[in-house]
Amino acid sequence: MGVLTRHARLTHGLIPHPQQRIFPMPSSHLVRSLVRLPLVFSILLVCECDSGQAANRLANETSPYLRMHANNPVDWFPWGEEAFEKARREDKPIFLSVGYSTCHWCHVMERESFSNPEVAALMNRHFVSIKVDREERPDIDRIYMSYVLLTTGSGGWPMSVFLTPDRAPFFGGSYFPLEESYGQPGFRTVLTRIAGAWDSDRPSIVESSEQATNMLRTLTMTGADTRGSVALDASVLDAVFAAFDNSYDSTYAGFGDTNKFPRPVAYNFLLRYWARTGNDTALRMSLETLRAMAKGGVHDHLGGGFHRYSTGRAWRVPHFEKMLYDQAQLTVSYVDAFQITGDPLFAETARDILDYVLRDMLGPEGGFYSAEDADSRYDAASPEHGEGAFYVWTAAEIERLLGATPVFPAGGDELEAQAAAVFSYRYGVEAGGNVPAAQDVQGELAGKNILYEAHSPSETARRFNSSENEVDSVLAAARSRLLAARGERPRPPLDDKMLTAWNGLMISALARAGQVLDEPSYTRAAGRAATFLQSRLYTAANGRLQRRYRLGDVAIDGFLSDYTFLIQGLLDLYEASFDTRWLEWAATLQEKQDEIFWSDEQHSYFTTGDGDSSLLYRRREDYDGAEPSPNSVAALNLLRLWQLFDRDEWRARADESIGSYADSFAQGPSGLPQLAVALDFAVSKPKQIVIAGNPAGADTRVLLRLVHERFIPNKILLLADGAENQAQLARWLPFVQTIHPIDGRATAYICENYVCNLPTSDPEIVARLLDGEPVTAFRR
C-alpha cells in the first residue's frame, strides 16, 4: 500500500480529527526540499529468498516481513535497545522503516533500495536502520504514522521516518523510489540530504523533533473531552447517521467518491440505527453496499473471501490482498443482513467467506493466519511477479478452459457448448480485458479480466434463452473448473503469523455465523480457536495475553486490541456454545485489561501498557477504521459483561469511556460508528433472553432458532440447562437459579432490566415477544 488519501486514511483509522492542528515542519533546507511528497497506492510480495548476501540481524526474527529483509546489505536492527544504544553511541540519526507482509510498495522499496549495495552503504555509514512489522507492533506504527500524517497530510506503507537517537521524529514520508520519479526525490538523494543536514543543521532538527513530539503528546493527552466524561444521549446517534447519509454514494453504494473500503463498523452502526429508529435509509445504505461488494471484483468469485479494497468507486478493481480482519468483520455484516432480510445472497456470502478462511487461513492448531498477499509469481519457474496475478484471467484462458472437453452436467448440450460465453457474460470477461487503464498504473493488469457480476442470473438466462437452473448448473461447473486451474498457479505468499486480536475477531465471526446459519461446524471452529489462544497466547499465572504466535514462537505483550477483540469473541462464543468457561475467561481478561490499560485521567483505555520505555508516549485510539478502535469494543464489552455479571462498576466504566469521546463525536461523528454501537446499547433497554431446557432437546433448539433468526442487537442470551452451566450462571446472576422448564418443555423467559414476561413454551408466543408485539394471553 502506498499513500493514503483522506478517505483511505479515515478508513484505516489514521487521520486526526478535522480540528486537530498540523505541526509546522522544520525550517531547514532539507525539509523545505523534501516536504509534501506525493505517494502512490499498491501492494507487496513476501520473499524470504537468499540473495547470497550474508544475513543480518533480521534473520533471527520471526516476523515474515522482517525476515524478507534478512539478506539485505543494510545493517538492519529490530526495534530495541541495541539499536538505540548504537545510535546514541555513534551520534547517528535513526532510519525507521515500517511495513507489513502484504504491502506491494514495501517489496518495491526492498528490491530497489534496500537490496542495492550503494544505498545500503549510505544507510550503514550515516544511519542506524530499524525495521518494524506494523501488524506485530501497531503501537510503534501509530505513533510515527501520526507524525507523518500531521506533517505531510498523507501517509502509507512502507512508512519511512527519520528519528533522533532519542526516537523523536524529524522527517517522514512513505515509499521513496530509488531514483527521482512520481514527482519525488530518489531515496539516495533523501539519505544524502538528511545526513548532511544532521551534520550542518543539528540544532534546528533537534528543536523541530522536540516540538513535534510535544505536540503529539499534547494531542493524545487532550484527546479526552476537556470536561471529563460527559453523559451522551441518543441525539448523538442521529448525528452519526446524518454524517454517513451525507457521504453515501447512491450510484455505486459505499461511502466516499474515490477508493472504496469495506468498513464493517459503519454497517454495524447503521443496522442498529435502523433497528432503533426504523429509518429505512440506514438499512438501505448498508444492504446496497453489502450487495455491491458481493457482486464486485473485491469479492473472489471463485475461491471466496474479500480483497482489501476497491481502487475506484464501482467495487470493480481491487487491491488484491486478503486480510483476516476483513474476512471476520464482513462475515458478521453479512450475517446481520441475512437476519434482517432473509435474502439468501447474504447467507451465501457469509458462508463463502468462512469456507475460504477455513480452507486457506486455518492453522493446524486451530488458530488463523493473518493475510494472503496481493502479488504472486506469474509462473513457478520465474521469479517475476505481479499484483493480482493469481486472480485475473485473459479471455483466451477462459475460452480454452471452458470451451474444451465437457465438464458440465448432462443435458442442455447447446448451452454447455457456450459455457465460455455464458461465463464471460455473467462475470464481465472482455476480449481486451476489463480493467480501466486509470486503475492499472503499473500496467500489470493490461489485457486481463477481474471477475465481477456484470449480469444477474436472470439476465444471463434471458441472454442465452435458457432457464436460470440451467445457467446456474453451467456456471457452477465453470467456476469449479476455473478454480481447479487457478490452483495450479503459484499461490500468493501467506503471512502465517497469528495475532490474538485478529483471531478474536474471527472467533466472533464463526460464533455469530454458527448461530444464525445453524452451522455447528462454525461454532466448533470458534471453540478450537479460543482453545488455541488460551493454550498458546495466554499465561494463567499472571493473567496476561501475548500478541503473536508463529512457528511455535510466542512474543510481544498484548495490546488493548488483543484483550478487547478476544473478550468480544468469547462473549459471542458463549452465546453460540453456552459453555460458561468462555464467560469466566472473558471476565478474567476484562479485570486484567482494566489493570493494565485504564486511565483515570483519560477516562478510557490506553492502547499499550506502561512498561515499554522505548515508546515516545502512550496513545489512546479514538477512530473506528479498518479495525474498530479497541476503546469502542471495550465499551460494548463492558456493557455486555455488566448484564452478564451484574457488576455496576463495569456499567459505570462503560459510561465514563463513552462520555469521554463527546468532543470526538461533535467534531467527526462518522469517525466512531462502533462507539456509537456501544452508546446505542447504553441508552437502550437491553433484553435478557433465557431459554430453560436441555441443550440437545429439539424443543430447546426450536426456541433458540427463533432467537437466532432475528436481529436483536441489544440483548444477552443465556441457556439454563439444569446442570453445571446454569449453576455457574446463577453464581453471577442469582435470578437464573429460579429458571426452569415448565411441564417438562423448553421454556423462554424474555426480560428487560431483569423484569420478565411470563414464561412460555409456545414458539408462536415466543416469536411475538421477541418481535415486541403485545401478548394478552399466554399458552404455556
Side-chain angles (χ1 to χ4, degrees):
M1 187 178 300
V3 73
L4 299 180
T5 63
R6 178 177 175 81
H7 177 70
R9 296 198 305 277
L10 285 171
T11 305
H12 279 74
L14 295 172
I15 196 170
H17 288 299
Q19 295 181 12
Q20 289 183 340
R21 294 192 294 138
I22 294 179
F23 300 137
M25 288 295 290
S27 58
S28 66
H29 172 72
L30 161 71
V31 170
R32 288 199 305 272
S33 63
L34 296 182
V35 73
R36 298 206 173 276
L37 304 175
L39 305 171
V40 243
F41 270 112
S42 201
I43 320 180
L44 129 83
L45 177 71
V46 173
C47 174
E48 296 191 29
C49 49
D50 187 351
S51 64
Q53 172 72 34
N56 57 47
R57 293 170 187 81
L58 300 186
N60 299 320
E61 296 298 306
T62 304
S63 160
Y65 175 65
L66 298 190
R67 289 181 64 82
M68 68 169 282
H69 296 79
N71 293 308
N72 294 162
V74 176
D75 186 20
W76 287 114
F77 287 78
W79 181 270
E81 182 56 34
E82 183 185 7
F84 309 148
E85 193 279 329
K86 178 181 172 67
R88 290 191 297 267
R89 185 179 69 253
E90 299 183 5
D91 195 25
K92 290 180 178 179
I94 292 169
F95 170 65
L96 174 65
S97 178
V98 181
Y100 59 105
S101 71
T102 53
C103 160
H104 169 77
W105 287 104
C106 300
H107 289 298
V108 173
M109 197 164 178
E110 189 272 334
R111 290 194 307 271
E112 289 180 343
S113 295
F114 303 148
S115 297
N116 184 305
E118 294 180 7
V119 173
L122 274 175
M123 295 173 68
N124 297 340
R125 183 179 310 121
H126 297 291
F127 302 92
V128 174
S129 299
I130 297 177
K131 178 63 71 173
V132 168
D133 181 337
R134 68 174 296 263
E135 294 172 351
E136 290 195 345
R137 294 299 305 264
D139 52 339
I140 299 169
D141 176 67
R142 285 165 182 161
I143 287 172
Y144 293 106
M145 183 60 76
S146 295
Y147 169 79
V148 172
L149 287 170
L150 290 170
T151 53
T152 72
S154 63
W157 299 277
M159 177 170 61
S160 304
V161 189
F162 293 86
L163 319 176
T164 68
D166 292 328
R167 302 176 298 286
F170 62 87
F171 180 76
S174 183
Y175 163 74
F176 291 101
L178 176 61
E179 307 295 345
E180 183 174 352
S181 61
Y182 304 110
Q184 299 181 82
F187 187 54
R188 206 182 333 238
T189 301
V190 171
L191 294 172
T192 301
R193 291 181 180 176
I194 289 180
W198 182 255
D199 291 336
S200 64
D201 200 9
R202 180 86 58 86
S204 175
I205 288 176
V206 171
E207 180 184 6
S208 169
S209 70
E210 291 174 349
Q211 291 174 351
T213 301
N214 289 335
M215 180 67 78
L216 287 168
R217 287 187 177 124
T218 299
L219 289 173
T220 293
M221 296 308 294
T222 59
D225 191 284
T226 54
R227 297 160 288 174
S229 181
V230 179
L232 300 176
D233 58 30
S235 65
V236 172
L237 306 178
D238 299 330
V240 176
F241 164 73
F244 281 110
D245 192 21
N246 289 337
S247 65
Y248 184 68
D249 182 345
S250 58
T251 302
Y252 295 105
F255 301 94
D257 56 6
T258 53
N259 303 309
K260 291 286 181 63
F261 289 78
R263 196 177 173 203
V265 290
Y267 323 138
N268 291 347
F269 166 74
L270 290 169
L271 294 178
R272 283 154 182 78
Y273 187 76
W274 165 79
R276 165 177 287 275
T277 66
N279 186 307
D280 288 337
T281 300
L283 179 62
R284 175 180 54 80
M285 290 191 296
S286 298
L287 299 183
E288 286 180 354
T289 301
L290 292 170
R291 289 190 177 103
M293 290 193 299
K295 295 176 180 179
V298 294
H299 182 200
D300 180 355
H301 292 276
L302 298 182
F306 280 82
H307 302 297
R308 178 73 274 271
Y309 68 87
S310 169
T311 61
R313 288 177 62 191
W315 303 104
R316 283 266 308 275
V317 181
H319 175 77
F320 286 92
E321 65 188 357
K322 289 182 175 180
M323 310 301 297
L324 183 66
Y325 61 76
D326 280 328
Q327 315 310 319
Q329 294 179 92
L330 284 171
T331 296
V332 175
S333 295
Y334 281 100
V335 164
D336 286 349
F338 175 65
Q339 277 185 310
I340 292 168
T341 66
D343 185 341
L345 168 69
F346 297 125
E348 291 164 4
T349 306
R351 290 182 183 277
D352 166 277
I353 297 170
L354 294 180
D355 288 348
Y356 157 69
V357 169
L358 293 170
R359 182 186 67 238
D360 292 340
M361 299 190 78
L362 176 63
E365 296 183 72
F368 294 95
Y369 302 129
S370 292
E372 284 197 299
D373 212 317
D375 288 23
S376 57
R377 294 175 185 264
Y378 294 113
D379 184 271
S382 169
E384 290 188 46
H385 57 84
E387 182 175 353
F390 184 69
Y391 299 102
V392 297
W393 303 86
T394 64
E397 287 175 314
I398 299 292
E399 182 67 36
R400 176 175 58 81
L401 288 164
L402 301 185
T405 51
V407 292
F408 305 108
D413 292 341
E414 183 176 346
L415 187 62
E416 292 163 21
Q418 303 179 71
V422 172
F423 186 89
S424 296
Y425 183 80
R426 172 80 164 108
Y427 291 106
V429 176
E430 300 176 14
N434 65 7
V435 180
Q439 291 177 261
D440 182 24
V441 294
Q442 293 181 285
E444 292 177 304
L445 303 174
K448 305 295 179 61
N449 289 276
I450 297 168
L451 303 182
Y452 73 101
E453 294 187 11
H455 297 95
S456 68
S458 60
E459 289 171 331
T460 306
R462 286 196 299 273
R463 171 69 176 79
F464 291 93
N465 195 29
S466 301
S467 70
E468 285 191 41
N469 286 340
E470 290 174 322
V471 165
D472 286 346
S473 295
V474 168
L475 290 172
R479 287 193 300 269
S480 178
R481 184 172 189 122
L482 292 176
L483 181 62
R486 195 176 82 174
E488 299 299 316
R489 298 173 175 177
R491 282 198 67 88
L494 173 71
D495 185 332
D496 60 355
K497 68 177 179 287
M498 298 177 180
L499 301 177
T500 298
W502 295 2
N503 271 260
L505 292 175
M506 185 50 66
I507 290 169
S508 282
L510 288 161
R512 293 277 293 117
Q515 287 179 304
V516 176
L517 303 181
D518 196 17
E519 183 52 74
S521 66
Y522 295 157
T523 304
R524 289 193 296 271
R528 286 195 301 272
T531 300
F532 164 76
L533 295 178
Q534 192 170 40
S535 64
R536 290 292 193 176
L537 287 149
Y538 174 67
T539 303
N542 62 18
R544 290 178 177 259
L545 290 170
Q546 296 291 293
R547 178 165 178 82
R548 189 263 295 146
Y549 176 91
R550 182 175 187 252
L551 302 177
D553 182 65
V554 177
I556 308 167
D557 288 341
F559 301 112
L560 178 62
S561 61
D562 295 302
Y563 286 81
T564 59
F565 294 1
L566 177 54
I567 290 169
Q568 174 184 261
L570 295 174
L571 296 178
D572 290 332
L573 179 54
Y574 167 75
E575 292 196 356
S577 67
F578 301 112
D579 186 339
T580 54
R581 65 185 167 126
W582 303 127
L583 290 184
E584 191 167 7
W585 191 27
T588 299
L589 289 173
Q590 183 63 55
E591 290 169 347
K592 183 57 66 173
Q593 174 187 310
D594 291 346
E595 174 190 321
I596 297 172
F597 302 104
W598 179 258
S599 167
D600 288 328
E601 295 77 14
Q602 295 289 291
H603 311 285
S604 57
Y605 295 97
F606 284 120
T607 58
T608 60
D610 61 1
D612 190 346
S613 61
S614 73
L615 300 178
L616 285 182
Y617 58 91
R618 295 175 77 191
R619 286 174 53 86
R620 75 166 197 162
E621 293 301 314
D622 62 350
Y623 187 83
D624 296 318
E627 300 173 51
S629 161
N631 265 299
S632 299
V633 177
L636 186 57
N637 288 345
L638 287 166
L639 291 165
R640 296 173 71 185
L641 287 163
W642 160 63
Q643 288 278 301
L644 287 160
F645 289 86
D646 196 23
R647 290 176 57 169
D648 289 340
E649 69 269 24
W650 280 341
R651 170 69 202 234
R653 182 152 285 184
D655 290 341
E656 184 178 358
S657 182
I658 295 169
S660 74
Y661 289 96
D663 283 350
S664 298
F665 275 125
Q667 293 170 6
S670 65
L672 289 167
Q674 191 63 36
L675 190 63
V677 168
L679 175 60
D680 177 59
F681 193 110
V683 299
S684 72
K685 295 181 179 179
K687 281 185 167 65
Q688 301 87 35
I689 302 169
V690 187
I691 307 298
N694 182 341
D699 54 348
T700 303
R701 292 198 298 272
V702 167
L703 297 186
L704 288 172
R705 285 306 313 149
L706 292 173
V707 179
H708 295 330
E709 67 190 18
R710 284 166 167 75
F711 183 68
I712 310 171
N714 299 326
K715 73 174 191 309
I716 61 168
L717 175 63
L718 306 173
L719 180 68
D721 62 359
E724 178 53 33
N725 280 318
Q726 181 172 357
Q728 180 61 66
L729 288 175
R731 295 184 191 106
W732 301 321
L733 294 171
F735 89 97
V736 174
Q737 186 65 46
T738 65
I739 286 176
H740 54 81
I742 295 176
D743 298 331
R745 293 187 297 165
T747 303
Y749 296 72
I750 299 172
C751 320
E752 284 186 2
N753 294 330
Y754 302 104
V755 176
C756 301
N757 290 288
L758 289 174
T760 179
S761 300
D762 187 321
E764 181 182 341
I765 294 177
V766 172
R768 291 169 62 187
L769 288 170
L770 292 173
D771 292 337
E773 297 179 10
V775 178
T776 57
F778 281 87
R779 299 189 304 275
R780 290 188 177 178

